[in-house]
Amino acid sequence: MSAPAVGVVKVDTDVHCVPSSLSDVVAHMDPYWRDYTTDGGVSLSPTQGGAYPPGIGPGGRPLSDVGALGERVLSPDGTDLAILTCTSTFQTNRNPYYEAALCRALNDWLLERWQAHDPRLRVAMVVPTLDVDAAVAEVHRIGDRPEVVTALLPVRNDTRWGNVGNRPVLRAAAEHGLVVTLHAWGRAGQAPTSSGMTHSYLEDYLANGHVVAQGQLVSLVTEGVFAELPGLRVTVAECGSTWLPTLLWRFDKDWKGVWREVPWVDRPPSEIVREHVRFTTAPIHLPSDPVQAREAVDLLGPELLMHAGDHPHDHGPGADRLAAVLDGDELAAVRGGTAAEWYRLG
C-alpha cells in the first residue's frame, strides 16, 4: 500500500460533544424557557445518555469541554477540521415549542462555547423534528454561517425523511448549501421495525443501520427528494455502510419492474444514491481477511466513505481494516479529501 500524499487535510466528520447538564445551554434561552426548565425540573434526554454502554469508549461519554476535546482527541489524531455532533435533542420530548427553544439554545452553545474557541471545529446544527416551520426557521437563522456545515437529523424519526411533509426542512438545508446528516438514534418511542418494537438493546442498536437507515435512503429516493432538490447532499452517520451494495442491487432490480409508481426516479436508484449520499467510517463492518475486506470495499465504493473517529465511541477494528486495504490516494480521500469537498470546507 502506498503512503498517503503529504499535506493532505485530515477531517473527522463525527466528533461527539455534550452539555455537562441542561444548565450549560439554559443561558442561551429566553427568560420564559429558563423558568420552564427550572420550574418543571426538565433535564437532558436520559435516552441519549444510555445510548452506549459505559465502557464503549474513553470515559464512555462525549467531552463537555472544548479544550479537553482539542488536547485529547483532535491534536493526537492530527485532525485539521472536525464536525461537532451533539445528539442531546434526539429524545422523546413531545413539546414542539420547548424542542425549538432547546435546539436554538444548543446551536448557540455549540457556536459560542465550542467553535469560537477552536477554529478546527465546524458545527452540525440541530433542528426541531416536531415542528417543520420551526425547523425551517432555525435553518434560515444560522444556515449561512460558515461555521455551520450540516443539518443534523435523527435517522429514527416519527416519519420518514422523504415524506413530503418533511420536504421544507430538506429544501431549506439545500438552499443554504448545507449537507443533511442522518445520524444514528432518535425517537426512542418509535418502533424501528415494520413489525413493532424491539425487545432487547442489541436488536435496537442493530436496527439503526440494517432497518432504519436503509428505509430512510429508500424513502429519500422513491419519494422524489433528489429529483426536486438535485443539489442536496446527505451523509449517513454511525449507521454502518457495508449493507449498501445488497440494498442497491435489490433497489435497482425492483425499480425496473415498478418504476411507473415513481416516474421521477428516471435512472437506477443506485446512481442517485451514489451521487447524493456519503457514509461515515464509524462503524464499518469488514472481514479480518484483507482480500475479503478489499472485495467488500470495492462493492461499496471507497469514494462514498468519509473518516469519522466518532469520539468517544469505539466500534472495533473496522477502520483499521479499511485503512489497510486502501491505496494512498484512496486513503487520503477517505481521511479528508472527500469530506473537504462534500462539506465545502475549503
Side-chain angles (χ1 to χ4, degrees), residues 95-104 107 125-142 153 165 168-169 172:
N95 183 330
Y97 312 107
Y98 169 68
E99 185 194 41
L102 177 63
C103 288
R104 182 185 182 100
N107 286 328
M125 67 171 295
V126 294
V127 298
T129 59
L130 297 174
D131 183 341
V132 171
D133 290 340
V136 170
E138 185 64 5
V139 173
H140 288 327
R141 184 177 75 92
I142 62 171
L153 302 174
V169 181

Side-chain angles (χ1 to χ4, degrees), residues 22-294:
L22 184 58
S23 61
D24 288 356
V25 298
V26 165
H28 298 276
M29 295 180 177
D30 64 36
Y32 173 84
W33 291 112
R34 293 180 201 172
D35 292 342
Y36 176 89
T37 60
T38 302
D39 296 344
V42 179
S43 61
L44 291 173
S45 171
T47 63
Q48 286 307 296
Y52 296 90
I56 200 167
R61 177 180 170 88
L63 289 170
S64 300
D65 177 78
V66 62
L69 182 72
E71 293 172 6
R72 290 168 49 186
V73 180
L74 304 186
S75 295
D77 196 37
T79 298
D80 297 302
L81 296 168
I83 298 175
L84 276 176
T85 303
C86 182
T87 62
S88 294
T89 60
F90 288 13
Q91 57 183 346
T92 55
N93 172 63
R94 291 294 170 183
N95 183 330
Y97 312 107
Y98 169 68
E99 185 194 41
L102 177 63
C103 288
R104 182 185 182 100
L106 192 64
N107 286 328
D108 289 343
W109 176 77
L110 289 168
L111 288 163
E112 297 174 20
R113 299 289 184 90
W114 290 80
Q115 198 285 325
H117 295 280
D118 192 329
R120 291 173 293 183
L121 298 175
R122 299 295 181 268
V123 171
M125 67 171 295
V126 294
V127 298
T129 59
L130 297 174
D131 183 341
V132 171
D133 290 340
V136 170
E138 185 64 5
V139 173
H140 288 327
R141 184 177 75 92
I142 62 171
D144 280 339
R145 294 189 59 159
E147 313 97 309
V148 178
V149 298
T150 184
L152 184 69
L153 302 174
V155 74
R156 186 167 164 179
N157 191 41
D158 290 348
T159 59
R160 292 197 175 192
W161 285 110
N163 186 284
V164 292
N166 293 319
R167 198 66 47 86
V169 181
L170 306 182
R171 185 181 302 112
E175 288 173 356
H176 288 275
L178 297 175
V179 173
V180 167
T181 295
L182 302 182
H183 197 285
W185 307 105
R187 293 286 178 192
Q190 297 301 312
T193 76
S194 59
S195 55
M197 297 296 293
T198 55
H199 298 281
S200 71
Y201 178 80
L202 176 60
E203 293 175 276
D204 199 72
Y205 184 88
L206 289 172
N208 279 304
H210 79 271
V211 178
V212 185
Q214 292 191 38
Q216 294 288 16
L217 283 187
V218 171
S219 170
L220 290 170
V221 174
T222 58
E223 299 196 51
V225 170
F226 298 119
E228 180 180 336
L229 304 172
L232 183 66
R233 293 156 289 146
V234 173
T235 295
V236 177
E238 208 172 326
C239 294
S241 57
T242 48
W243 43 259
L244 184 69
T246 51
L247 170 67
L248 294 184
W249 179 86
R250 181 63 184 267
F251 204 175
D252 284 355
K253 176 181 179 296
D254 289 351
W255 165 77
K256 292 175 183 178
V258 294
W259 62 267
R260 289 173 181 82
E261 290 192 8
V262 288
W264 43 84
V265 182
D266 57 0
R267 53 188 168 129
S270 60
E271 294 183 12
I272 298 172
V273 171
R274 292 185 179 280
E275 178 182 343
H276 290 276
V277 183
R278 298 293 179 268
F279 298 81
T280 66
T281 59
I284 185 166
H285 306 107
L286 293 171
S288 58
D289 180 84
V291 174
Q292 295 177 350
R294 181 68 219 196

